[in-house]
Amino acid sequence: YEGTVEITGYNGTMEPNVVIPEKIGKYRVSQVGGFSGRDEILSMTVPGCVEVFSSRAVEECKSLKKISFAEGIKTISAGAFNNCTSLEEILIPDSVEFIGISAFYGCKRLKKISIPSKVNKIGSNTFAGTGILDIIVPANVQEIEYCAFLGCEKLKTVQIQGKPIFGTSVFSQCTSLESIELPDDTEKINKGMFCDCNALKNFKFPSKLKYIGDSAFMRVAFAEVKLPESVVRIDDYAFYGSESIKNVTLPQTLTYIGKAAFEGTGITKVVLPERLTDIAEKMFLECRKLESIYIPKAVQTIGKEAFKDCSLRDVYYGGNEEQWKQLVRDHEELNYITPHYNSSALLATLSL
């Protein structure tokens, strides 16, 4: 070859089964793109001399069902297959090192895809809205960006082989997700990560977890939440609307629980950690099965509607009667509850 050439489009009549040539004249074809919106394409074959599949290369090719890459391709660029709604089959060779953001966004008929072992990052929205059923994230992946698998409604199992860091809403709206295990040294579960994963029943919280973000487990299907003795912060709406949660074990390391964190859950009893100083607004709003709670002496404020529409009968309180009256002076709903003063977490646990 006397050099390389990039295909940036084709103006002629398109055959339904496109075969990209290895060379044009004396030049090797090294990059391919410019076919966006060509609905007449049913399949495409890309030879091994092509290293880069360009940004939006076949975006919105609504009839494209199959694409074959030969070993040699290194880059699948941003939005390359964006909204290829008929795409069912693609084999990504091991030579691929980079997959761009939104590369397969909206490929709703794509059920199977394998991420090559050289890929070290899964960008934002890369597989969002696809029809994939399961995915293996190889050990080399160091980062999974925001919304990478957002709205993969058929995704059931995720296997993570390495120790990536996670962005926000990575698996949000994966409504069929049943099985995923995060690396044990994961410290942060970010905002919206498993929001609306309505089929997620079993989940092992990583043993080094420190932070649970806003809406991270909103409307999941857990029966219980057992947090490790490492979690220091739970943000707003973290478990909001997860009606199936009946049991919650909160660690003594925990110092902050955000607004409406457990609103609308099915918890029946709870022991708040000793270092908690504030019960945020709406924290247990509409927890209609919540009958008893331990509140430590350290608590200084109870937020608005924190216990509205609960079935609270017993409060085990770490302080004395005078302190309790001061704490609940603006909370009518707590005036009808039987307080047990000078309680300890241990006593409360036994009593609960």
Side-chain angles (χ1 to χ4, degrees):
Y1 301 117
E2 290 188 1
T4 59
V5 65
E6 176 186 350
I7 294 176
T8 57
Y10 184 68
N11 296 326
T13 308
M14 192 73 73
E15 290 290 320
N17 301 307
V18 175
V19 178
I20 302 295
E22 289 192 18
K23 59 180 185 174
I24 295 173
K26 294 178 179 177
Y27 297 96
R28 173 175 68 89
V29 176
S30 64
Q31 189 164 344
V32 173
F35 294 98
S36 59
R38 299 295 294 255
D39 284 347
E40 61 270 48
I41 303 177
L42 299 179
S43 74
M44 185 178 277
T45 304
V46 182
C49 58
V50 174
E51 293 181 1
V52 178
F53 203 60
S54 301
S55 238
R56 300 179 171 176
V58 289
E59 178 182 57
E60 306 265 354
C61 287
K62 302 284 190 189
S63 307
L64 178 67
K65 279 191 168 184
K66 181 181 178 182
I67 184 148
S68 304
F69 287 111
E71 190 77 29
I73 182 97
K74 288 182 178 172
T75 297
I76 295 173
S77 302
F81 296 95
N82 185 23
N83 275 320
C84 290
T85 50
S86 298
L87 186 66
E88 292 173 353
E89 203 178 322
I90 181 169
L91 182 65
I92 303 179
D94 288 339
S95 54
V96 169
E97 297 170 3
F98 178 81
I99 300 173
I101 62 170
S102 302
F104 296 95
Y105 181 91
C107 296
K108 60 185 180 185
R109 286 199 175 88
L110 187 62
K111 290 181 180 175
K112 195 169 189 236
I113 201 158
S114 61
I115 300 167
S117 60
K118 290 177 185 168
V119 170
N120 67 7
K121 182 162 89 168
I122 298 172
S124 60
N125 289 298
T126 297
F127 300 106
T130 60
I132 53 172
L133 304 174
D134 49 64
I135 197 83
I136 295 171
V137 178
N140 201 38
V141 172
Q142 289 162 30
E143 185 179 2
I144 302 176
E145 288 187 338
Y146 66 91
C147 302
F149 296 94
L150 172 76
C152 292
E153 293 177 357
K154 294 178 180 172
L155 181 62
K156 276 192 165 185
T157 61
V158 176
Q159 197 181 330
I160 297 166
Q161 295 181 333
K163 296 178 177 179
I165 56 168
F166 299 91
T168 57
S169 302
V170 170
F171 298 102
S172 181
Q173 296 166 35
C174 291
T175 49
S176 301
L177 184 63
E178 291 174 0
S179 171
I180 182 169
E181 190 167 331
L182 299 184
D184 215 35
D185 51 5
T186 302
E187 293 188 354
K188 290 178 87 173
I189 293 177
N190 282 318
K191 180 179 179 179
M193 185 151 163
F194 296 103
C195 178
D196 286 318
C197 291
N198 318 126
L200 191 59
K201 289 181 182 175
N202 300 311
F203 184 82
K204 183 174 172 277
F205 288 92
S207 67
K208 302 216 172 83
L209 186 66
K210 290 181 178 174
Y211 167 79
I212 295 173
D214 190 322
S215 315
F217 295 99
M218 187 186 262
R219 292 184 290 269
V220 294
F222 300 167
E224 69 169 349
V225 170
K226 198 170 185 182
L227 298 179
E229 288 288 335
S230 54
V231 176
V232 293
R233 184 182 176 97
I234 297 173
D235 268 354
D236 301 352
Y237 304 101
F239 296 94
Y240 174 97
S242 299
E243 294 172 13
S244 56
I245 296 175
K246 299 204 168 26
N247 299 315
V248 174
T249 306
L250 301 175
Q252 290 303 326
T253 47
L254 188 62
T255 57
Y256 179 87
I257 304 174
K259 179 172 77 174
F262 294 98
E263 180 179 336
T265 57
I267 55 178
T268 55
K269 57 194 179 187
V270 66
V271 173
L272 296 179
E274 295 292 350
R275 290 159 66 192
L276 193 73
T277 56
D278 300 288
I279 295 175
E281 63 178 285
K282 300 183 179 178
M283 192 188 285
F284 298 103
L285 175 66
E286 292 183 1
C287 291
R288 299 185 193 281
K289 294 175 182 170
L290 181 61
E291 293 184 353
S292 50
I293 188 169
Y294 168 71
I295 297 175
K297 186 180 176 180
V299 169
Q300 302 294 307
T301 59
I302 296 175
K304 208 167 61 174
E305 300 183 334
F307 295 101
K308 191 182 175 193
D309 295 334
C310 291
S311 311
L312 264 183
R313 289 204 302 252
D314 291 294
V315 172
Y316 295 85
Y317 177 56
N320 58 34
E321 185 175 357
E322 195 179 319
Q323 290 165 320
W324 174 252
K325 284 178 176 168
Q326 184 71 12
L327 185 63
V328 302
R329 66 187 184 281
D330 299 324
H331 295 274
E332 259 180 67
E333 71 274 20
L334 294 175
N335 291 332
Y336 308 103
I337 292 160
T338 311
H340 306 274
Y341 306 119
N342 303 308
S343 291
S344 66
L346 176 64
L347 175 67
T349 306
L350 295 172
S351 306
L352 297 177

